[in-house]
Amino acid sequence: MKKDGKIILIEDDIEDREIFEEVYNTLGFDNELVMLSDSTMVLEYLKKEEVKPFLIMSDINMPKMSGYELRDQVLSDPDLTEKCVPYIFFTTSQSPDSIKEAYRKSVQGFFFKMTDYRKFSNTLKLIIDYWKEAVTPE
Amino acid sequence: MNVNGPIVIIEEDDFEIDLLREVITDLGYKNPIITIGNPLTAIETLRISEKPFLVLSAINLTGLSGFQIRDEILKEKDLFRKCAPFIFYSAHATQDTCREVFNRHANGFIHDINDYGKLYQSIQLVLDYWKMSSIVA
């Protein structure tokens, strides 16, 4: 079932990946965490039939292909778009323009990375709890 | 999104409206609540209202369904931005309904609202989640 599917983090920064993994591991969820560091490899991965993500969280500022460009590519494929719900942006970028842009891309959330460990942990738990509760396309 | 803005409820059943109001108030949210009981006036009301914190819409409505209302919103870029996040709810959820919800770029979907405990929990998650998320237009 999809609720037990993978949580996919698209993040080029190794430190951010480590923090995410550390926080995620304290939350006690059973979903496998998959971290992809190269945004240009993501599309191919998501298209695989056996990959049925529970939740996708993407950084925005990444080299080679930005989180927005990647989202555009996902959205250009209706089957992939359906498979990739919820799709959430997770970024340090705080500019209103960035948020507007994210909004136009039809996302299911937009969260800022937090330096406060406790806050980060609470936010991540809320995100996962919320999407465990919501029905999403299978 | 406007965190302090009104919570808009599109629902024609008075009982459901009272229930949702009660839950939102019990959760300690002080946002004003705007209810739209007649789906035919939904678009007009959304156009003139203050920018909402979020919109909660039933799917099964008479005259105009929640999906039809959403389709109208999607045609108007400004209204689309104004009405985010847009959350659908229904008593039951089939996979087809679910697909229809997300094909309309809805930001969430609440189901099984007939169980008060579950409704309370779902609404709490929805409000807390979107309060924390920074989608603004």
Side-chain angles (χ1 to χ4, degrees):
Chain A
M1 192 188 145
K2 206 186 160 208
K3 301 270 166 190
D4 303 322
K6 296 176 169 72
I7 293 178
I8 297 170
L9 176 72
I10 305 160
E11 171 65 72
D12 63 298
D13 187 287
I14 184 163
E15 259 180 54
D16 284 354
R17 283 202 304 274
E18 281 170 4
I19 295 169
F20 191 99
E21 187 175 23
E22 196 184 317
V23 171
Y24 177 73
N25 286 339
T26 62
L27 295 176
F29 291 104
D30 291 332
N31 303 66
E32 184 193 345
L33 175 64
V34 175
M35 298 190 286
L36 306 171
S37 58
D38 183 345
S39 49
T40 61
M41 308 294 285
V42 172
L43 216 56
E44 197 186 327
Y45 175 77
L46 291 175
K47 280 183 176 166
K48 286 184 189 168
E49 204 173 324
E50 68 272 21
V51 176
K52 294 188 174 76
F54 158 57
L55 175 73
I56 298 170
M57 298 188 75
S58 173
D59 188 16
I60 293 171
N61 300 315
M62 292 182 283
K64 293 194 266 188
M65 188 192 276
S66 78
Y68 290 147
E69 288 171 292
L70 177 60
R71 181 61 178 153
D72 277 339
Q73 298 220 3
V74 171
L75 287 171
S76 68
D77 180 337
D79 287 340
L80 197 59
T81 304
E82 193 174 293
K83 188 171 155 178
C84 296
V85 171
Y87 202 103
I88 293 163
F89 281 124
F90 199 56
T91 181
T92 37
S93 163
Q94 297 243 9
S95 78
D97 275 354
S98 177
I99 304 170
K100 274 186 195 171
E101 186 63 28
Y103 177 66
R104 277 196 284 272
K105 304 289 184 211
S106 175
V107 289
Q108 281 83 36
F110 187 99
F111 294 87
F112 293 119
K113 290 175 190 164
M114 293 160 194
T115 42
D116 182 305
Y117 190 90
R118 214 185 128 87
K119 267 193 197 161
F120 181 24
S121 168
N122 288 342
T123 304
L124 189 57
K125 184 174 183 318
L126 179 63
I127 293 170
I128 297 172
D129 282 344
Y130 178 81
W131 289 107
K132 288 256 174 183
E133 189 70 25
V135 210
T136 52
E138 274 182 30
Chain B
M1 189 175 81
N2 170 11
V3 174
N4 299 313
I7 294 170
V8 178
I9 301 170
I10 306 174
E11 172 60 75
E12 57 190 355
D13 183 314
D14 287 340
F15 176 77
E16 295 287 351
I17 292 173
D18 288 346
L19 197 64
L20 286 167
R21 269 185 185 280
E22 196 183 311
V23 171
I24 293 167
T25 311
D26 284 353
L27 284 167
Y29 278 84
K30 305 268 188 273
N31 303 60
I33 297 172
I34 297 175
T35 56
I36 300 174
N38 178 359
L40 297 171
T41 65
I43 296 294
E44 198 46 42
T45 309
L46 289 167
R47 275 200 200 112
I48 59 174
S49 88
E50 187 192 339
K51 190 164 172 44
F53 164 41
L54 56 77
V55 181
L56 283 169
S57 176
I59 295 172
N60 297 318
L61 298 163
T62 41
L64 205 60
S65 75
F67 286 158
Q68 287 173 303
I69 293 171
R70 184 60 179 164
D71 288 341
E72 290 302 311
I73 293 171
L74 292 175
K75 287 181 197 162
E76 288 181 39
K77 201 174 157 197
D78 288 344
L79 198 58
F80 173 53
R81 284 182 161 198
K82 186 177 176 181
C83 300
F86 193 98
I87 318 285
F88 278 116
Y89 65 87
S90 75
H92 304 288
T94 64
Q95 269 302 311
D96 282 345
T97 314
C98 183
R99 247 176 234 124
E100 295 242 36
V101 162
F102 286 99
N103 284 343
R104 287 179 168 81
H105 304 286
N107 304 95
F109 183 33
I110 301 172
H111 56 107
D112 292 341
I113 54 164
N114 292 338
D115 175 336
Y116 185 83
K118 205 145 185 284
L119 176 70
Y120 188 91
Q121 191 193 351
S122 299
I123 297 289
Q124 179 169 33
L125 278 171
V126 164
L127 296 180
D128 290 352
Y129 180 91
W130 290 105
K131 199 177 167 183
M132 189 86 83
S133 181
S134 304
I135 286 220
V136 291

